[in-house]
């Protein structure tokens, strides 16, 4: 019985994480096997550590020198972009190397997707997608990331 309760709790936590990006293409990035690759790093933070910043969910996925996953990340962000209510995009040579999309409020929380495509100093290509959700405004998040 104890094992069933533990399993149920784990299942509920996993389901809650998946619902954060529900209806968004970037959800695929956080619910797939891509994060199992050695070239991919995923970070997920939630709970009290974020609450003081007005953030309830922070998820990021970074692919280093993995063209296949980088292309999937680019396509997922591109699929969500038309649904954004605000955006900041920087292109270099016709390719997006930075984008920040703001999505409509959902259940009293703002949702943001950040995309960065860059070549690091060591020549490796790095693509990152961040999903942030919370009561923090875009200005507050920008100020936080500057720190």
């Amino acid at each position: 019985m104890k094992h069933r309760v533990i399993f149920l709790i784990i299942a509920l936590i996993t389901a809650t994480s998946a619902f954060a990006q529900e209806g968004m293409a970037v959800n695929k990035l956080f619910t797939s096997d891509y994060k199992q690759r050695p070239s991919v790093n995923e970070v997920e933070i939630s709970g009290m550590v974020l609450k003081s910043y007005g953030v309830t969910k922070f998820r990021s996925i970074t692919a280093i020198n993995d063209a296949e996953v980088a292309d999937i990340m680019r396509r997922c962000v591109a699929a969500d972009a038309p649904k954004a209510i605000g955006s900041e995009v920087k292109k270099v040579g016709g390719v997006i190397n930075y984008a920040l999309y703001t999505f409509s409020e959902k259940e009293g929380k703002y949702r943001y997707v950040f995309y960065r495509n860059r070549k690091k100093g060591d020549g490796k290509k790095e693509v990152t997608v961040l999903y942030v959700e919370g009561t923090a405004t875009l200005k507050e998040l920008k100020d936080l990331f500057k720190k």
Side-chain angles (χ1 to χ4, degrees):
M1 180 67 169
K2 184 177 180 181
H3 294 295
R4 286 183 184 168
V5 171
I6 292 172
F7 176 76
L8 181 61
I9 291 170
I10 292 170
L12 287 172
I13 290 170
T14 303
T16 302
S17 295
F19 287 134
Q21 304 86 224
E22 185 179 327
M24 299 183 73
V26 294
N27 186 42
K28 176 181 180 179
L29 302 173
F30 301 109
T31 58
S32 67
D33 292 332
Y34 305 124
K35 56 190 171 189
Q36 303 302 321
R37 294 182 181 205
S39 60
V40 176
N41 295 313
E42 181 186 22
V43 175
E44 180 176 0
I45 306 171
S46 60
M48 294 303 292
V49 72
L50 296 175
K51 206 168 201 158
S52 63
Y53 300 109
V55 175
T56 53
K57 177 151 296 292
F58 174 95
R59 295 189 87 172
S60 84
I61 188 164
T62 300
I64 300 174
N65 272 353
D66 191 324
E68 179 187 2
V69 174
D71 187 55
I72 292 165
M73 293 166 77
R74 180 193 57 75
R75 286 188 279 134
C76 286
V77 171
D80 285 332
K83 296 178 260 179
I85 59 170
S87 65
E88 293 178 22
V89 178
K90 180 182 175 192
K91 292 184 179 183
V92 175
V95 176
I96 295 176
N97 78 332
Y98 165 88
L100 176 59
Y101 298 102
T102 304
F103 296 87
S104 60
E105 209 175 325
K106 183 176 182 181
E107 297 175 10
K109 296 177 185 172
Y110 297 102
R111 299 178 301 151
Y112 306 95
V113 171
F114 171 78
Y115 172 84
R116 183 177 66 185
N117 176 7
R118 70 178 184 137
K119 192 174 261 188
K120 295 172 44 176
D122 59 6
K124 293 180 179 176
K125 189 172 181 180
E126 178 183 83
V127 177
T128 301
V129 173
L130 301 178
Y131 174 85
V132 180
E133 182 179 284
T135 57
T137 64
L138 182 57
K139 182 187 179 323
E140 290 170 333
L141 284 179
K142 285 181 175 181
D143 291 345
L144 175 64
F145 289 134
K146 285 180 187 176
K147 294 180 182 182

Tab-separated table of all heavy atoms in Angstrom, residues 33-75:
chain	number	residue	atom	x	y	z
A	33	ASP	N	12.329	12.081	-24.717
A	33	ASP	CA	13.578	11.405	-24.362
A	33	ASP	C	14.817	12.202	-24.756
A	33	ASP	O	15.934	11.748	-24.549
A	33	ASP	CB	13.641	10.025	-25.042
A	33	ASP	CG	12.612	9.071	-24.467
A	33	ASP	OD1	12.247	9.238	-23.284
A	33	ASP	OD2	12.187	8.157	-25.194
A	34	TYR	N	14.635	13.390	-25.306
A	34	TYR	CA	15.793	14.194	-25.713
A	34	TYR	C	16.722	14.453	-24.532
A	34	TYR	O	17.928	14.466	-24.674
A	34	TYR	CB	15.364	15.549	-26.295
A	34	TYR	CG	14.399	15.437	-27.435
A	34	TYR	CD1	13.169	16.070	-27.397
A	34	TYR	CD2	14.714	14.680	-28.563
A	34	TYR	CE1	12.274	15.962	-28.448
A	34	TYR	CE2	13.818	14.556	-29.606
A	34	TYR	CZ	12.597	15.210	-29.538
A	34	TYR	OH	11.714	15.088	-30.570
A	35	LYS	N	16.132	14.657	-23.376
A	35	LYS	CA	16.937	14.984	-22.193
A	35	LYS	C	17.834	13.826	-21.750
A	35	LYS	O	18.715	14.014	-20.922
A	35	LYS	CB	16.041	15.459	-21.057
A	35	LYS	CG	14.964	14.495	-20.668
A	35	LYS	CD	13.987	15.140	-19.723
A	35	LYS	CE	12.789	14.252	-19.513
A	35	LYS	NZ	11.735	14.904	-18.793
A	36	GLN	N	17.627	12.643	-22.301
A	36	GLN	CA	18.462	11.493	-21.969
A	36	GLN	C	19.799	11.502	-22.723
A	36	GLN	O	20.713	10.768	-22.385
A	36	GLN	CB	17.725	10.180	-22.266
A	36	GLN	CG	16.392	10.044	-21.556
A	36	GLN	CD	16.511	10.144	-20.053
A	36	GLN	OE1	17.441	9.635	-19.447
A	36	GLN	NE2	15.569	10.829	-19.426
A	37	ARG	N	19.881	12.335	-23.749
A	37	ARG	CA	21.110	12.394	-24.546
A	37	ARG	C	22.217	13.103	-23.758
A	37	ARG	O	21.955	14.059	-23.034
A	37	ARG	CB	20.867	13.155	-25.843
A	37	ARG	CG	19.918	12.469	-26.781
A	37	ARG	CD	19.782	13.274	-28.038
A	37	ARG	NE	18.851	12.643	-28.960
A	37	ARG	CZ	18.884	12.832	-30.266
A	37	ARG	NH1	19.778	13.635	-30.802
A	37	ARG	NH2	18.015	12.223	-31.036
A	38	PRO	N	23.463	12.659	-23.947
A	38	PRO	CA	24.567	13.325	-23.238
A	38	PRO	C	24.780	14.770	-23.686
A	38	PRO	O	25.347	15.566	-22.946
A	38	PRO	CB	25.794	12.467	-23.571
A	38	PRO	CG	25.371	11.464	-24.563
A	38	PRO	CD	23.888	11.494	-24.697
A	39	SER	N	24.305	15.131	-24.865
A	39	SER	CA	24.470	16.493	-25.383
A	39	SER	C	23.394	17.452	-24.886
A	39	SER	O	23.417	18.639	-25.211
A	39	SER	CB	24.434	16.458	-26.911
A	39	SER	OG	23.190	15.939	-27.354
A	40	VAL	N	22.443	16.943	-24.093
A	40	VAL	CA	21.302	17.748	-23.661
A	40	VAL	C	21.263	17.833	-22.138
A	40	VAL	O	21.425	16.835	-21.446
A	40	VAL	CB	19.979	17.142	-24.190
A	40	VAL	CG1	18.778	17.908	-23.660
A	40	VAL	CG2	19.979	17.113	-25.711
A	41	ASN	N	21.046	19.056	-21.651
A	41	ASN	CA	20.900	19.285	-20.212
A	41	ASN	C	19.533	19.882	-19.950
A	41	ASN	O	19.110	20.796	-20.656
A	41	ASN	CB	21.963	20.272	-19.705
A	41	ASN	CG	23.355	19.720	-19.843
A	41	ASN	OD1	23.609	18.590	-19.484
A	41	ASN	ND2	24.247	20.533	-20.376
A	42	GLU	N	18.858	19.380	-18.926
A	42	GLU	CA	17.565	19.927	-18.545
A	42	GLU	C	17.614	20.365	-17.098
A	42	GLU	O	18.211	19.692	-16.258
A	42	GLU	CB	16.444	18.906	-18.714
A	42	GLU	CG	15.095	19.477	-18.351
A	42	GLU	CD	13.965	18.461	-18.376
A	42	GLU	OE1	14.234	17.263	-18.270
A	42	GLU	OE2	12.813	18.889	-18.475
A	43	VAL	N	16.981	21.508	-16.827
A	43	VAL	CA	16.874	22.017	-15.466
A	43	VAL	C	15.408	22.316	-15.207
A	43	VAL	O	14.739	22.924	-16.044
A	43	VAL	CB	17.704	23.308	-15.277
A	43	VAL	CG1	17.479	23.898	-13.893
A	43	VAL	CG2	19.182	23.049	-15.529
A	44	GLU	N	14.916	21.871	-14.062
A	44	GLU	CA	13.545	22.193	-13.654
A	44	GLU	C	13.583	22.636	-12.211
A	44	GLU	O	14.130	21.950	-11.353
A	44	GLU	CB	12.621	20.992	-13.794
A	44	GLU	CG	11.209	21.292	-13.371
A	44	GLU	CD	10.246	20.136	-13.586
A	44	GLU	OE1	10.660	19.081	-14.078
A	44	GLU	OE2	9.067	20.303	-13.252
A	45	ILE	N	13.025	23.826	-11.965
A	45	ILE	CA	12.978	24.361	-10.609
A	45	ILE	C	11.545	24.777	-10.337
A	45	ILE	O	10.913	25.416	-11.174
A	45	ILE	CB	13.908	25.588	-10.449
A	45	ILE	CG1	15.339	25.255	-10.883
A	45	ILE	CG2	13.892	26.085	-9.005
A	45	ILE	CD1	16.254	26.460	-10.972
A	46	SER	N	11.045	24.412	-9.179
A	46	SER	CA	9.715	24.856	-8.767
A	46	SER	C	9.698	24.909	-7.250
A	46	SER	O	10.620	24.454	-6.590
A	46	SER	CB	8.632	23.919	-9.302
A	46	SER	OG	8.830	22.615	-8.823
A	47	GLY	N	8.667	25.507	-6.721
A	47	GLY	CA	8.524	25.537	-5.273
A	47	GLY	C	8.998	26.823	-4.630
A	47	GLY	O	9.114	27.867	-5.266
A	48	MET	N	9.301	26.732	-3.366
A	48	MET	CA	9.599	27.890	-2.538
A	48	MET	C	10.813	28.686	-3.013
A	48	MET	O	10.844	29.899	-2.857
A	48	MET	CB	9.807	27.453	-1.077
A	48	MET	CG	8.550	26.892	-0.430
A	48	MET	SD	7.146	28.027	-0.469
A	48	MET	CE	7.723	29.277	0.646
A	49	VAL	N	11.794	28.017	-3.578
A	49	VAL	CA	13.005	28.714	-3.999
A	49	VAL	C	12.694	29.797	-5.037
A	49	VAL	O	13.375	30.811	-5.109
A	49	VAL	CB	14.074	27.712	-4.503
A	49	VAL	CG1	13.693	27.128	-5.848
A	49	VAL	CG2	15.437	28.354	-4.590
A	50	LEU	N	11.656	29.618	-5.810
A	50	LEU	CA	11.286	30.580	-6.847
A	50	LEU	C	10.233	31.587	-6.399
A	50	LEU	O	10.118	32.659	-6.995
A	50	LEU	CB	10.735	29.838	-8.075
A	50	LEU	CG	11.692	28.921	-8.816
A	50	LEU	CD1	10.944	28.180	-9.903
A	50	LEU	CD2	12.842	29.708	-9.397
A	51	LYS	N	9.477	31.235	-5.396
A	51	LYS	CA	8.308	32.030	-5.004
A	51	LYS	C	8.647	33.497	-4.729
A	51	LYS	O	7.894	34.394	-5.104
A	51	LYS	CB	7.640	31.401	-3.787
A	51	LYS	CG	6.194	31.724	-3.684
A	51	LYS	CD	5.525	30.853	-2.644
A	51	LYS	CE	4.049	30.845	-2.964
A	51	LYS	NZ	3.361	29.727	-2.434
A	52	SER	N	9.785	33.747	-4.094
A	52	SER	CA	10.149	35.130	-3.762
A	52	SER	C	10.424	35.970	-5.004
A	52	SER	O	10.446	37.194	-4.936
A	52	SER	CB	11.360	35.153	-2.830
A	52	SER	OG	12.478	34.584	-3.475
A	53	TYR	N	10.623	35.326	-6.146
A	53	TYR	CA	10.846	36.035	-7.405
A	53	TYR	C	9.571	36.153	-8.241
A	53	TYR	O	9.606	36.651	-9.354
A	53	TYR	CB	11.922	35.325	-8.232
A	53	TYR	CG	13.252	35.243	-7.532
A	53	TYR	CD1	13.732	34.028	-7.046
A	53	TYR	CD2	14.037	36.382	-7.349
A	53	TYR	CE1	14.953	33.953	-6.400
A	53	TYR	CE2	15.252	36.312	-6.705
A	53	TYR	CZ	15.709	35.094	-6.237
A	53	TYR	OH	16.914	35.024	-5.598
A	54	GLY	N	8.464	35.650	-7.738
A	54	GLY	CA	7.216	35.690	-8.497
A	54	GLY	C	7.173	34.654	-9.602
A	54	GLY	O	6.437	34.781	-10.567
A	55	VAL	N	7.963	33.609	-9.457
A	55	VAL	CA	8.036	32.539	-10.454
A	55	VAL	C	7.566	31.247	-9.800
A	55	VAL	O	7.991	30.911	-8.702
A	55	VAL	CB	9.480	32.378	-10.999
A	55	VAL	CG1	9.584	31.200	-11.944
A	55	VAL	CG2	9.936	33.658	-11.677
A	56	THR	N	6.686	30.521	-10.489
A	56	THR	CA	6.209	29.254	-9.949
A	56	THR	C	6.801	28.059	-10.684
A	56	THR	O	6.804	26.955	-10.163
A	56	THR	CB	4.673	29.160	-10.024
A	56	THR	OG1	4.259	29.421	-11.358
A	56	THR	CG2	4.025	30.165	-9.088
A	57	LYS	N	7.285	28.280	-11.902
A	57	LYS	CA	7.896	27.187	-12.661
A	57	LYS	C	8.989	27.743	-13.543
A	57	LYS	O	8.823	28.771	-14.196
A	57	LYS	CB	6.869	26.469	-13.516
A	57	LYS	CG	7.495	25.370	-14.374
A	57	LYS	CD	6.599	24.229	-14.688
A	57	LYS	CE	6.130	23.402	-13.575
A	57	LYS	NZ	7.061	22.580	-12.865
A	58	PHE	N	10.113	27.046	-13.540
A	58	PHE	CA	11.241	27.380	-14.403
A	58	PHE	C	11.758	26.080	-14.992
A	58	PHE	O	12.120	25.164	-14.251
A	58	PHE	CB	12.358	28.052	-13.594
A	58	PHE	CG	13.605	28.305	-14.398
A	58	PHE	CD1	13.811	29.538	-14.996
A	58	PHE	CD2	14.578	27.317	-14.555
A	58	PHE	CE1	14.960	29.778	-15.741
A	58	PHE	CE2	15.718	27.543	-15.295
A	58	PHE	CZ	15.911	28.777	-15.887
A	59	ARG	N	11.751	25.984	-16.305
A	59	ARG	CA	12.269	24.797	-16.982
A	59	ARG	C	13.181	25.263	-18.097
A	59	ARG	O	12.871	26.223	-18.797
A	59	ARG	CB	11.152	23.959	-17.578
A	59	ARG	CG	10.241	23.370	-16.506
A	59	ARG	CD	9.297	22.392	-17.076
A	59	ARG	NE	9.962	21.080	-17.089
A	59	ARG	CZ	9.357	19.959	-17.400
A	59	ARG	NH1	8.105	19.961	-17.752
A	59	ARG	NH2	10.006	18.816	-17.385
A	60	SER	N	14.293	24.582	-18.248
A	60	SER	CA	15.181	24.898	-19.361
A	60	SER	C	15.737	23.614	-19.942
A	60	SER	O	15.885	22.608	-19.241
A	60	SER	CB	16.313	25.827	-18.920
A	60	SER	OG	17.383	25.115	-18.358
A	61	ILE	N	16.020	23.682	-21.219
A	61	ILE	CA	16.659	22.570	-21.901
A	61	ILE	C	17.707	23.172	-22.835
A	61	ILE	O	17.438	24.162	-23.516
A	61	ILE	CB	15.647	21.674	-22.644
A	61	ILE	CG1	16.339	20.417	-23.186
A	61	ILE	CG2	14.886	22.431	-23.701
A	61	ILE	CD1	15.388	19.305	-23.587
A	62	THR	N	18.906	22.609	-22.797
A	62	THR	CA	20.009	23.098	-23.611
A	62	THR	C	20.618	21.930	-24.371
A	62	THR	O	20.891	20.883	-23.784
A	62	THR	CB	21.097	23.747	-22.730
A	62	THR	OG1	20.516	24.847	-22.028
A	62	THR	CG2	22.266	24.237	-23.555
A	63	ALA	N	20.811	22.136	-25.663
A	63	ALA	CA	21.475	21.141	-26.510
A	63	ALA	C	22.802	21.738	-26.982
A	63	ALA	O	22.835	22.868	-27.476
A	63	ALA	CB	20.605	20.786	-27.704
A	64	ILE	N	23.867	20.982	-26.816
A	64	ILE	CA	25.192	21.436	-27.243
A	64	ILE	C	25.682	20.522	-28.349
A	64	ILE	O	25.809	19.308	-28.161
A	64	ILE	CB	26.185	21.456	-26.067
A	64	ILE	CG1	25.667	22.417	-24.991
A	64	ILE	CG2	27.579	21.859	-26.541
A	64	ILE	CD1	26.472	22.420	-23.717
A	65	ASN	N	25.940	21.140	-29.507
A	65	ASN	CA	26.424	20.409	-30.685
A	65	ASN	C	25.539	19.225	-31.049
A	65	ASN	O	26.026	18.145	-31.370
A	65	ASN	CB	27.873	19.934	-30.496
A	65	ASN	CG	28.868	20.985	-30.934
A	65	ASN	OD1	28.505	22.013	-31.500
A	65	ASN	ND2	30.130	20.729	-30.676
A	66	ASP	N	24.239	19.414	-30.990
A	66	ASP	CA	23.287	18.371	-31.371
A	66	ASP	C	22.291	18.995	-32.347
A	66	ASP	O	21.260	19.543	-31.956
A	66	ASP	CB	22.574	17.813	-30.136
A	66	ASP	CG	21.777	16.551	-30.422
A	66	ASP	OD1	21.199	16.441	-31.530
A	66	ASP	OD2	21.719	15.677	-29.534
A	67	ALA	N	22.621	18.939	-33.617
A	67	ALA	CA	21.824	19.609	-34.652
A	67	ALA	C	20.394	19.092	-34.706
A	67	ALA	O	19.458	19.873	-34.929
A	67	ALA	CB	22.496	19.446	-36.012
A	68	GLU	N	20.204	17.804	-34.491
A	68	GLU	CA	18.852	17.235	-34.546
A	68	GLU	C	17.952	17.822	-33.467
A	68	GLU	O	16.842	18.295	-33.745
A	68	GLU	CB	18.910	15.710	-34.407
A	68	GLU	CG	17.540	15.058	-34.437
A	68	GLU	CD	17.576	13.560	-34.132
A	68	GLU	OE1	18.654	13.014	-33.850
A	68	GLU	OE2	16.492	12.952	-34.152
A	69	VAL	N	18.422	17.818	-32.222
A	69	VAL	CA	17.622	18.352	-31.120
A	69	VAL	C	17.486	19.864	-31.261
A	69	VAL	O	16.416	20.425	-31.012
A	69	VAL	CB	18.224	17.965	-29.753
A	69	VAL	CG1	17.463	18.641	-28.618
A	69	VAL	CG2	18.195	16.458	-29.563
A	70	ALA	N	18.539	20.539	-31.685
A	70	ALA	CA	18.477	21.996	-31.885
A	70	ALA	C	17.394	22.354	-32.898
A	70	ALA	O	16.652	23.325	-32.702
A	70	ALA	CB	19.833	22.520	-32.335
A	71	ASP	N	17.272	21.585	-33.956
A	71	ASP	CA	16.249	21.857	-34.964
A	71	ASP	C	14.845	21.613	-34.407
A	71	ASP	O	13.926	22.383	-34.672
A	71	ASP	CB	16.477	20.992	-36.210
A	71	ASP	CG	15.529	21.372	-37.334
A	71	ASP	OD1	15.497	22.562	-37.709
A	71	ASP	OD2	14.803	20.482	-37.821
A	72	ILE	N	14.685	20.578	-33.610
A	72	ILE	CA	13.386	20.302	-32.979
A	72	ILE	C	13.026	21.446	-32.024
A	72	ILE	O	11.883	21.909	-32.002
A	72	ILE	CB	13.411	18.940	-32.251
A	72	ILE	CG1	13.511	17.815	-33.284
A	72	ILE	CG2	12.184	18.768	-31.360
A	72	ILE	CD1	13.894	16.473	-32.712
A	73	MET	N	14.007	21.920	-31.278
A	73	MET	CA	13.776	23.036	-30.360
A	73	MET	C	13.340	24.275	-31.137
A	73	MET	O	12.373	24.951	-30.757
A	73	MET	CB	15.055	23.320	-29.552
A	73	MET	CG	15.419	22.200	-28.593
A	73	MET	SD	17.094	22.334	-27.943
A	73	MET	CE	16.892	23.617	-26.724
A	74	ARG	N	14.026	24.568	-32.230
A	74	ARG	CA	13.698	25.731	-33.061
A	74	ARG	C	12.275	25.620	-33.599
A	74	ARG	O	11.504	26.580	-33.548
A	74	ARG	CB	14.691	25.852	-34.216
A	74	ARG	CG	14.426	27.046	-35.132
A	74	ARG	CD	15.215	26.959	-36.426
A	74	ARG	NE	14.960	25.744	-37.192
A	74	ARG	CZ	13.847	25.522	-37.907
A	74	ARG	NH1	12.886	26.404	-37.949
A	74	ARG	NH2	13.692	24.385	-38.580
A	75	ARG	N	11.913	24.412	-34.084
A	75	ARG	CA	10.571	24.218	-34.642
A	75	ARG	C	9.479	24.336	-33.577
A	75	ARG	O	8.408	24.884	-33.833
A	75	ARG	CB	10.486	22.887	-35.373
A	75	ARG	CG	11.224	22.935	-36.723
A	75	ARG	CD	11.006	21.704	-37.563
A	75	ARG	NE	11.913	20.645	-37.104
A	75	ARG	CZ	11.573	19.389	-36.895
A	75	ARG	NH1	10.350	18.977	-37.117
A	75	ARG	NH2	12.449	18.514	-36.471
